[in-house]
Amino acid sequence: MTADNIRFETLAVHAAEPRPAHGRSVVFPIYQGTVYEIEPGGGVDYLRYSNTPTQGYVQEKLAALEGAEAAVATASGMAAISTALASVLASGDRVIVAGNIYGGTHALLAEESRRIGWGVDFVDADDPAAWAAALTPATKAVYVESITNPLVRVGDLAGLARFSREHGLTSIIDNTFTTPMLFRPHTIGYDLVCHSATKALNGHSDLVAGVVTGSAERIERVRHFLMLYGGSLDPHAAFLLSRGLKTLAIRVRVQGENALALARFLEGHRAVAEVHHPGLESHPDHARAAALFGGFGSMLAFRPAGGLEAAERLLKSLRIPYSAASLGGVESLVTRPAISSHAKLTAEEREAAGIGDDLIRFSTGIEAAEDLIADFDRALED
């Protein structure tokens, strides 16, 4: 069962499910064991190698959803990103990083990379001249996010994939904000796709996980580094992730509808200074997002009129969303990126990225849109 002959909603439920089912159970079991008997002439199945039955099951499902040959599940999104990069970059190599990126990834590439020996060139995701200027004989990869965190910008993703192919570079993309429900980067030429599966892929705020998808050859190399670094995914977390994936399509659809309705409401409210959501016609990347994606996602950011004081007052007044730093769950979450996802950046770096202290990020859940809007309407008037 592949994405070529079945719709995504059905694929999310049935991909990788064994027929006949194990022990006639329609739910794939948790194989909690860490060691397995070696068949004559066979390889070793071992939890740290990410090749035990429950790990293999969720990896096959993840690969099917992204339309990839293979996938490897990891213990976190950062484990996915770091091992994907390590599979491509050696000491002395360089990577072109396009656009603003998640704070944890930025810390890895702006700070830890110097100790590892990677060179990093940060460029505008919309400026091909800057990509070309950053290119050196040591450049081996391009890294970008499908939708940036927290300002939800959409760079020239197709152009970056072409640039990578033309120059023999490995293209790596973090697809966390869109999920394969809305966008499959492999279809436009990306070599490795990473996710923080902690977020929308699982969708229930109860596990930490990641995934990398790509060709079988590339994923085997990622798996090698994952084995060495020890970032394998626990079988019980793999089970929970597989369960979350089955409802991915309906969750992403409702979250996207809610986010767009809320963004439109906020854009028209006198107490809101600016709103960022790619579904808004006013968003600078709206046309590109509409052309690339099957929807605009659950994330939005905005600045209330009145600056930091107004932002803090609003966060205290809202009743439905939790004030928390993650995203992609069934419950709405609200936070200020300056003190959460991007707290590790300096004030100067946040300012350069457009992340002011008064910026609010909202991860839209599956609550009724009317209730979310009413909650904001009341809180903005407090």
Side-chain angles (χ1 to χ4, degrees):
M1 187 176 294
T2 69
D4 296 330
N5 61 12
I6 197 166
R7 290 177 174 82
F8 188 90
E9 292 85 346
T10 309
L11 192 69
V13 176
H14 292 287
E17 302 296 330
R19 297 292 180 93
H22 287 246
R24 300 191 304 278
S25 170
V26 297
V27 176
F28 194 92
I30 304 171
Y31 286 83
Q32 194 66 48
T34 59
V35 293
Y36 294 80
E37 287 186 304
I38 301 173
E39 295 183 8
V44 176
D45 292 342
Y46 187 56
L47 187 65
R48 185 166 59 86
Y49 297 174
S50 300
N51 62 358
T52 60
T54 307
Q55 291 171 316
Y57 159 69
V58 76
Q59 287 167 171
E60 185 179 346
K61 185 178 283 286
L62 288 161
L65 295 182
E66 273 292 3
E69 282 186 353
V72 62
T74 68
S76 68
M78 284 306 302
I81 292 165
S82 60
T83 51
L85 288 165
S87 74
V88 176
L89 301 173
S91 180
D93 290 341
R94 304 192 69 83
V95 56
I96 294 173
V97 179
N100 295 324
I101 56 174
Y102 165 62
T105 313
H106 185 276
L108 170 67
L109 290 171
E111 301 169 14
E112 186 65 13
S113 62
R114 290 193 292 270
R115 189 186 65 80
I116 299 171
W118 299 342
V120 183
D121 298 292
F122 292 95
V123 300
D124 188 326
D126 277 324
D127 188 357
W131 314 341
L135 193 64
T136 75
T139 305
K140 296 296 187 293
V142 169
Y143 182 90
V144 68
E145 294 177 354
S146 53
I147 300 180
T148 67
N149 180 7
L151 291 174
V152 290
R153 296 298 306 270
V154 182
D156 185 1
L157 303 180
L160 282 161
R162 286 194 302 270
F163 175 82
S164 299
R165 289 195 303 273
E166 290 166 359
H167 296 283
L169 310 176
T170 299
S171 51
I172 307 172
I173 187 167
D174 181 338
N175 199 34
T176 299
F177 271 31
T178 37
T179 82
M181 170 67 178
L182 304 182
F183 179 47
R184 291 175 176 169
H186 292 305
T187 63
I188 64 168
Y190 279 88
D191 297 309
L192 292 172
V193 176
C194 302
H195 288 267
S196 172
T198 309
K199 312 302 194 303
L201 290 185
N202 175 56
H204 291 80
S205 304
D206 56 7
L207 66 84
V208 176
V211 62
V212 188
T213 67
S215 68
E217 180 181 358
R218 290 186 183 278
I219 293 303
E220 192 54 40
R221 185 160 173 79
V222 176
R223 189 189 306 274
H224 170 74
F225 281 92
L226 186 69
M227 176 185 69
L228 295 178
Y229 295 164
S232 58
L233 184 63
D234 174 78
H236 191 264
F239 165 80
L240 289 175
L241 176 56
S242 68
R243 183 174 67 175
L245 289 170
K246 293 182 180 183
T247 61
L248 176 64
I250 55 176
R251 287 188 285 102
V252 168
R253 183 181 301 113
V254 172
Q255 288 168 317
E257 292 169 354
N258 285 353
L260 184 54
L262 181 58
R264 285 176 172 157
F265 165 77
L266 292 172
E267 189 176 41
H269 199 287
R270 61 180 178 79
V272 176
E274 63 184 41
V275 183
H276 305 267
H277 181 67
L280 295 174
E281 289 77 4
S282 59
H283 190 280
D285 306 320
H286 172 73
R288 178 180 289 156
L292 277 175
F293 305 152
F296 300 106
S298 64
M299 302 301 299
L300 60 98
F302 66 96
R303 291 176 51 247
L308 178 58
E309 182 181 346
E312 291 181 332
R313 185 168 61 249
L314 177 64
L315 292 181
K316 291 177 182 178
S317 297
L318 288 167
R319 295 171 181 167
I320 293 177
Y322 292 93
S323 180
S326 193
L327 57 99
V330 293
E331 62 285 303
S332 292
L333 304 175
V334 64
T335 187
R336 286 198 297 117
I339 61 170
S340 56
S341 62
H342 289 71
K344 291 184 178 180
L345 274 66
T346 66
E348 292 75 20
E349 287 171 332
R350 288 196 297 271
E351 183 179 357
I355 304 170
D357 288 345
D358 61 342
L359 184 73
I360 293 174
R361 188 189 73 182
F362 193 79
S363 171
T364 316
I366 63 170
E367 303 95 344
E370 296 85 352
D371 291 335
L372 292 173
I373 290 170
D375 193 23
F376 268 93
D377 195 23
R378 177 199 51 76
L380 286 166
E381 298 297 334
D382 279 356

